[in-house]
Amino acid sequence: MVEPTEPAREETPAPRPLRVFLVDDHAMFRAGVRAELGAHVEVVGEASTVAEAISRIAATEPDVVLLDVHMPDGGGRAVLEAVRRTRPEVRFLALSVSDAAEDVIGLIRAGARGYVTKTISPDELTAAIRRVADGDAVFSPRLAGFVLDSFASRPDAPVADPELDQLTNREREVLRLLARGYAYKEIAKELFISIKTVETHVSNVLRKLQMSNRYELSRWAADRRLV
């Protein structure tokens, strides 16, 4: 007598791991993040420059990009804006040492779904990535306050600031440091650029904002709480 056999059970396929891309100009930091996240997500690529990030994100098609805000050849905002023009489905989570309000607001205006600082724990970062991939917004508690204050203080104002939006990310960085009282030499050292380049950026900012000196720029930046 032949024993009846049980029908083969259909196994539910495991969910596809989240595909994550790392953008940061410090190789050791990228290695540390990759090591911490490796067991929880699939790190599909990494980049240290704006141009490299734009190219490799298009090639690897990640779900979430962990994005540094400040890099020597430009900022994370340039990466975000370039990628979103062709791949709006990619989610961005800023991971930065900076907790400056203008950095947080700038990235959110550009389309980032969240902003956390590099003091975040590996478990918290993994959870933040999953939430951003699901469409949630994620901020460190203090940074969430910046976002709420920004919109609550000007409830009727448009999200875009036409004057501010005409500046490149690097010009905003120079403007912020200039408004904080940095000398050209100090700005050059902080941003890893030459003094001549700083002078060029300041000249461009003055021309775009139709101002004549750094003192007007400082007042303008302070009025917008960019300092």
Side-chain angles (χ1 to χ4, degrees):
M1 178 176 181
V2 178
E3 294 286 340
T5 58
E6 294 184 359
R9 294 180 180 177
E10 293 186 4
E11 295 186 359
T12 302
R16 182 176 66 86
L18 287 175
R19 296 165 56 81
V20 176
F21 193 97
L22 309 178
V23 181
D24 194 291
D25 58 310
H26 294 98
M28 290 187 66
F29 180 79
R30 295 197 309 273
V33 172
R34 178 189 285 270
E36 294 290 350
L37 296 180
H40 307 286
V41 303
E42 181 184 1
V43 179
V44 296
E46 56 186 68
S48 61
T49 67
V50 171
E52 184 184 17
I54 293 171
S55 172
R56 298 207 61 202
I57 289 171
T60 55
E61 300 184 344
D63 299 305
V64 177
V65 175
L66 284 183
L67 187 65
D68 193 11
V69 177
H70 298 285
M71 293 184 286
D73 67 332
R77 180 167 178 163
V79 177
L80 195 160
E81 292 176 337
V83 172
R84 279 177 60 85
R85 281 196 287 271
T86 56
R87 299 184 182 277
E89 73 280 5
V90 177
R91 308 293 175 105
F92 287 84
L93 173 62
L95 176 61
S96 174
V97 70
S98 171
D99 61 357
E102 70 272 20
D103 289 334
V104 180
I105 301 304
L107 263 292
I108 297 308
R109 278 180 172 164
R113 295 296 302 178
Y115 193 117
V116 295
T117 61
K118 291 181 176 178
T119 57
I120 193 170
S121 71
D123 288 344
E124 290 171 332
L125 180 58
T126 301
I129 291 170
R130 294 192 181 284
R131 289 181 59 192
V132 165
D134 289 340
D136 292 342
V138 179
F139 302 96
S140 299
R142 195 170 88 88
L143 306 187
F146 291 156
V147 178
L148 291 175
D149 290 345
S150 172
F151 293 104
S153 61
R154 297 189 305 161
D156 298 325
V159 173
D161 182 330
E163 288 187 303
L164 182 62
D165 289 344
Q166 68 181 312
L167 303 182
T168 66
N169 190 68
R170 181 61 92 190
E171 288 168 350
R172 294 179 192 213
E173 293 173 333
V174 171
L175 170 61
R176 175 169 56 87
L177 295 176
L178 196 70
R180 289 179 176 178
Y182 283 52
Y184 284 11
K185 182 179 180 181
E186 294 171 320
I187 295 174
K189 183 178 180 181
E190 181 76 13
L191 299 179
F192 303 99
I193 57 180
S194 70
I195 295 176
K196 182 66 176 177
T197 301
V198 174
E199 292 173 347
T200 300
H201 286 311
V202 173
S203 176
N204 289 340
V205 173
L206 287 169
R207 175 177 51 78
K208 289 181 178 179
L209 299 180
Q210 298 183 350
M211 296 179 187
S212 58
N213 58 62
R214 65 178 297 171
Y215 301 105
E216 290 182 53
L217 285 179
S218 296
R219 287 199 299 271
W220 185 88
D223 289 343
R224 283 165 169 74
R225 295 194 287 180
L226 300 177
V227 181

